[in-house]
Amino acid sequence: MRIDFYILQTETDRELFACRLIEKAFQQGVRTCVRTSDARQAARMDDKLWTFRPGSFIPHELGNASAEILNKVPVVIAWTAVEGDFELCINLHHGVLDDYAQFARLAEIIPADPESKALGRQRFAFYREQAVELHHHEV
């Protein structure tokens, strides 16, 4: 398992940065699950994927859709665990996901504010204890 920490150096919108990662994964054919803190954040991500860049189209669905639909889309946005064959998970939750180990890759996006950085350090320490492959990217 590989976990990439993207450390935002400015007050960049975390969700907008996530949209860019989702777009890159989609272009590479990587099936992606986006895990949010709650249904409201999932709805915001749903909206942002339609509007973050003119001309961009990323087929996606919210995690409360039927399993038949969820198995057909390349990107699923969910606020709870979702079964599926996902290579990448983008964690927008502020904690470690209970099912993080089911993904081949996990992306953690850490905003520039002190509280988010502290929470990110806690997750980094947890993952290090689990002996997963960690990568750090200054954005």
Side-chain angles (χ1 to χ4, degrees):
M1 166 172 222
R2 174 187 171 126
I3 301 176
D4 290 280
F5 276 79
Y6 295 91
I7 313 302
L8 305 179
Q9 298 302 304
T10 62
E11 293 299 319
T12 303
D13 182 338
R14 180 181 190 211
E15 294 171 358
L16 183 59
F17 183 80
C19 288
R20 291 186 205 126
L21 283 181
I22 295 164
E23 181 179 48
K24 184 175 180 181
F26 172 68
Q27 290 170 344
Q28 295 174 353
V30 174
R31 190 141 190 268
T32 304
C33 179
V34 181
R35 289 287 292 280
T36 62
S37 295
D38 54 35
R40 285 189 325 217
Q41 186 181 34
R44 280 196 316 271
M45 286 301 298
D46 179 37
D47 289 341
K48 284 186 180 189
L49 280 178
W50 290 110
T51 61
F52 83 99
R53 195 169 63 76
S56 177
F57 175 70
I58 302 169
H60 64 280
E61 189 65 59
L62 290 175
N64 60 350
S66 72
E68 181 181 343
I69 292 172
L70 294 180
N71 286 326
K72 293 179 180 178
V73 295
V75 177
V76 173
I77 304 166
W79 52 97
T80 59
V82 179
E83 291 194 27
D85 185 24
F86 300 102
E87 182 179 341
L88 171 65
C89 178
I90 297 175
N91 183 17
L92 295 178
H93 193 277
H94 292 291
V96 173
L97 301 173
D98 291 337
D99 60 342
Y100 77 92
Q102 83 173 32
F103 305 102
R105 292 174 43 211
L106 182 69
E108 292 276 358
I109 304 169
I110 311 301
D113 66 275
E115 181 180 347
S116 295
K117 284 185 176 184
L119 292 170
R121 285 186 197 100
Q122 290 173 3
R123 292 196 306 276
F124 189 90
F126 172 83
Y127 295 133
R128 186 175 50 218
E129 290 173 7
Q130 308 310 307
V132 298
E133 182 182 347
L134 297 171
H135 296 267
H136 180 268
H137 310 278
E138 300 282 334
V139 180

